[in-house]
Amino acid sequence: MTYVFDEFELDSERAELRRAGEVVRIEPQVFDLLHLLISAGDRVVTRDEIFSEIWGDRIVSDAALSSRIRDARKAIGDDGTTQRFIRTVQRRGLRFVGTPREQAPAVAAVPPVPCVPDPTPFDRPAVAVLPFRDLSDDSGSPALASGLTDELVAALSAWRYFPVIARNSVQRFADAGLGAEQLGDALNARYLVEGSFRRAGHRLKVQVALIDAAADYQIWSHRIVCDMGDIIDMEEDVAAQIATVIAPELEGAEARRVLRKRPDDMSAWELVMRAAWLVTQRDMDGLKEAETLALRAADRSEGWSVPMCLVAMARFQQAMAGFSASDSVTAFTSTLEAAQQAMEIDRSAWIAHALRAVGELWVKRNHDLALIHVERAIDLNPSAAMNYHFGGCITGFSGDPMKARHYQERLFRVDPAYIYGAVIEADLGLWHMLDTQYQEADTRLTRALAWDPTYGRALQRRIALSGLMDDRVAAMDAAKRMADLGLAFDAETIAASYPFRMEEHHAMFLDGLRRSGINH
């Protein structure tokens, strides 16, 4: 059934909200909330009914409901002040006050196949997350199964590369006993994500697999073992870990599909997937090729922000390769330019916000604007480890080392194998140093250099820490390693290359470099 009101259409079969014929991208729970309110007619829908219908047996906060209501209103051009469509009935619930009319499907003889937006000219394949299966001996955790499924749908949707089919559409076919190829056809999804979990005391083992439905084979599988802890936080962390590792697998699968095509024969989507895969390889020639392919995709797909986000990402990776020896003010200039171009196309592009934050910090030394953009990136995609990398960096240099540590320690929960692990450990060493926690700083810097002995920024911080701790031997060792790498040591130049907002932090770092006893 499709509900038509004003210039909007809410299509329950396709799980789509459309405005003037154009698909409005919303999260599955926001769609479910709109459908619940509109289908209730003139009736007031209580908060308890909303919690029951949207979250089932899961325990969620009032803030979660408020967030979904806000997003639902925003999607249909409403807000809490005007309440043009969704009205709050004090102490009772919500009521839809528009005038929707029901519109039956055009073809009634054939059951409509649920699908997701297929935004030409990108021709993006969709992903369906199947309900998680409880393999525990007692099989008594339906709320956990639902929670993991919902969190993973939300996490994958936040990455914004692949359309993710709404949960209600998937549920209709999930229990039908269909094979992968049949299920993919029924859902109009090329990729399926299936998961299961088993509880044993306070421990939880989660198994997840990615399936190419069209080819009917498993591409990838992954296992996570964790403590149950707080159930809500655990669900979010597990979903974030899965989304973090599954996103590059999806990109890789798509890149392999077009491997034999020449760039001139690729669609904009295929160019982007090839570029995304090359970015994950971190090879300098590959990064340059990725930038070229993404720019070509941008030329072919005006109005799509992802190609320019990938241009920014390729430039960022290239800058990081020479970051220790480069001028930090200019290292990320081209990254900032591409991120700004992506934001001109789509101000909800989380990658653009994240990389613009980097540029605002290192290029412009604008801490306030950098904080705004990185916090927006985290809000848009809380499962992206990169956001916590930048969040920690920007927060620490802005003068809050404790919050910086919180961000970057969360990063390792989201992605234990983060590609810039040495950078993060070196950052954590710096934040501990600024809080005069020298032993913890030493541990982090030792770990950073064990992971990447050539990371010059870690060696700089090792020298500063050694100066503050009066450890001449460690300072000399780090200085020798810098010299072997062809990296110059000049205390004033090094300290000036760090964008400290707080003068006392700059002075402390410079003092450590000077007290190390290292000559130019």
Side-chain angles (χ1 to χ4, degrees):
M1 181 65 66
T2 298
Y3 298 91
V4 181
F5 59 99
D6 201 59
E7 57 183 335
F8 295 94
E9 297 172 278
L10 189 86
D11 189 333
S12 61
E13 299 296 337
R14 293 178 176 267
E16 286 182 355
L17 174 67
R18 297 185 290 271
R19 181 174 190 169
E22 296 292 325
V23 173
V24 179
R25 295 190 180 95
I26 55 176
E27 293 186 0
Q29 289 179 342
V30 175
F31 176 88
D32 291 344
L33 175 60
L34 283 170
H35 183 262
L36 175 62
L37 295 175
I38 294 172
S39 63
D42 198 41
R43 179 174 64 84
V44 174
V45 181
T46 67
R47 293 169 63 86
D48 287 344
E49 184 178 351
I50 294 172
F51 278 120
S52 176
E53 290 293 326
I54 305 300
W55 285 281
D57 296 328
R58 295 179 60 204
I59 300 174
V60 297
S61 65
D62 287 343
L65 175 58
S66 299
S67 173
R68 299 303 183 273
I69 294 171
R70 182 185 65 246
D71 290 346
R73 281 176 166 147
K74 182 179 178 181
I76 57 176
D78 200 357
D79 58 58
T81 301
T82 59
Q83 299 192 13
R84 177 186 173 201
F85 292 117
I86 300 176
R87 182 165 299 167
T88 300
V89 181
Q90 293 297 329
R91 294 183 295 278
R92 293 183 62 193
L94 299 171
R95 183 164 67 91
F96 189 80
V97 294
T99 55
R101 66 181 188 277
E102 297 182 2
Q103 179 176 293
V107 181
V110 180
V113 177
C115 65
V116 296
D118 185 15
T120 56
F122 314 136
D123 192 24
R124 301 181 299 167
V127 179
V129 179
L130 306 183
F132 272 72
R133 293 174 292 120
D134 184 357
L135 304 181
S136 308
D137 293 337
D138 58 2
S139 298
S141 300
L144 178 56
S146 176
L148 287 171
T149 305
D150 286 345
E151 289 289 352
L152 184 53
V153 168
L156 286 175
S157 298
W159 285 81
R160 303 190 67 195
Y161 279 11
F162 293 80
V164 182
I165 295 176
R167 184 191 63 173
N168 288 348
S169 297
V170 176
Q171 190 70 51
R172 294 176 55 203
F173 292 93
D175 300 324
L178 301 176
E181 189 173 2
Q182 293 173 305
L183 190 55
D185 287 342
L187 292 168
N188 195 22
R190 181 175 185 92
Y191 299 104
L192 307 176
V193 180
E194 63 175 16
S196 63
F197 64 89
R198 188 184 302 274
R199 291 174 295 105
H202 295 289
R203 301 284 285 170
L204 183 75
K205 182 174 78 171
V206 180
Q207 192 81 29
V208 65
L210 177 63
I211 298 168
D212 185 326
D216 196 14
Y217 74 92
Q218 180 175 303
I219 299 172
W220 164 91
S221 66
H222 186 67
R223 184 180 69 178
I224 295 172
V225 179
C226 61
D227 292 321
M228 291 285 287
D230 180 273
I231 192 70
I232 302 300
D233 290 342
M234 184 275 296
E235 290 174 354
E236 183 179 348
D237 282 350
V238 169
Q241 287 187 49
I242 295 171
T244 297
V245 292
I246 209 171
E249 294 296 333
L250 283 165
E251 294 161 14
E254 282 293 285
R256 288 189 293 273
R257 280 207 309 120
V258 301
L259 194 59
R260 295 181 180 85
K261 284 190 174 184
R262 297 185 311 110
D264 290 343
D265 297 330
M266 292 182 188
S267 67
W269 169 254
E270 291 168 339
L271 287 166
V272 159
M273 285 296 98
R274 179 65 178 165
W277 180 79
L278 287 167
V279 164
T280 65
Q281 307 307 300
R282 291 207 297 164
D283 171 76
M284 189 58 68
D285 290 338
L287 290 171
K288 293 176 181 177
E289 183 183 352
E291 182 178 349
T292 299
L293 294 176
L295 284 169
R296 190 171 299 177
D299 289 339
R300 297 184 185 181
S301 53
E302 183 178 353
W304 190 29
S305 66
V306 171
M308 286 311 302
C309 286
L310 278 171
V311 171
M313 180 62 74
R315 291 176 178 176
F316 168 76
Q317 300 274 32
Q318 291 175 70
M320 284 297 292
F323 184 45
S324 296
S326 64
D327 175 5
S328 61
V329 175
T330 59
F332 299 110
T333 298
S334 62
T335 300
L336 176 60
E337 292 171 352
Q340 289 173 318
Q341 290 180 55
M343 285 191 61
E344 289 173 2
I345 299 170
D346 181 2
R347 296 195 63 81
S348 295
W350 68 270
I351 295 177
H353 279 284
L355 292 172
R356 181 167 180 185
V358 171
E360 293 293 347
L361 175 71
W362 289 99
V363 177
K364 297 186 176 181
R365 299 298 200 261
N366 190 331
H367 297 81
D368 291 331
L369 197 52
L371 285 168
I372 288 172
H373 284 294
V374 81
E375 288 168 2
R376 179 59 175 153
I378 292 171
D379 181 57
L380 288 166
N381 189 355
S383 66
M386 183 178 78
N387 288 340
Y388 298 107
H389 174 172
F390 301 158
C393 178
I394 292 164
T395 304
F397 283 120
S398 295
D400 192 344
M402 181 179 294
K403 187 174 181 180
R405 293 196 299 273
H406 169 75
Y407 273 139
Q408 292 185 328
E409 285 163 357
R410 172 161 173 72
L411 178 151
F412 285 123
R413 297 204 306 273
V414 171
D415 185 0
Y418 186 58
I419 59 173
Y420 291 118
V423 175
I424 300 304
E425 291 290 354
D427 279 356
L428 289 167
L430 179 58
W431 314 141
H432 280 297
M433 187 195 314
L434 296 179
D435 276 342
T436 67
Q437 299 167 353
Y438 295 155
Q439 193 56 54
E440 291 88 345
D442 180 75
T443 299
R444 292 293 189 174
L445 289 171
T446 298
R447 191 176 300 168
L449 290 168
W451 286 4
D452 184 358
T454 67
Y455 184 42
R457 293 279 177 179
L459 291 168
Q460 293 168 356
R461 296 165 197 181
R462 166 64 75 196
I463 293 173
L465 178 64
S466 299
L468 295 171
M469 297 176 70
D470 296 320
D471 187 344
R472 173 94 175 154
V473 173
M476 294 298 294
D477 176 69
K480 181 181 183 303
R481 292 164 71 174
M482 281 187 64
D484 291 343
L485 293 169
L487 301 176
F489 178 85
D490 179 274
E492 282 70 20
T493 301
I494 291 173
S497 73
Y498 284 72
F500 293 115
R501 179 180 221 170
M502 309 285 288
E503 179 54 37
E504 55 264 40
H505 288 164
H506 171 81
M508 178 184 183
F509 188 68
L510 178 58
D511 183 49
L513 292 171
R514 287 172 172 168
R515 286 169 55 186
S516 69
I518 307 299
N519 296 320
H520 288 218

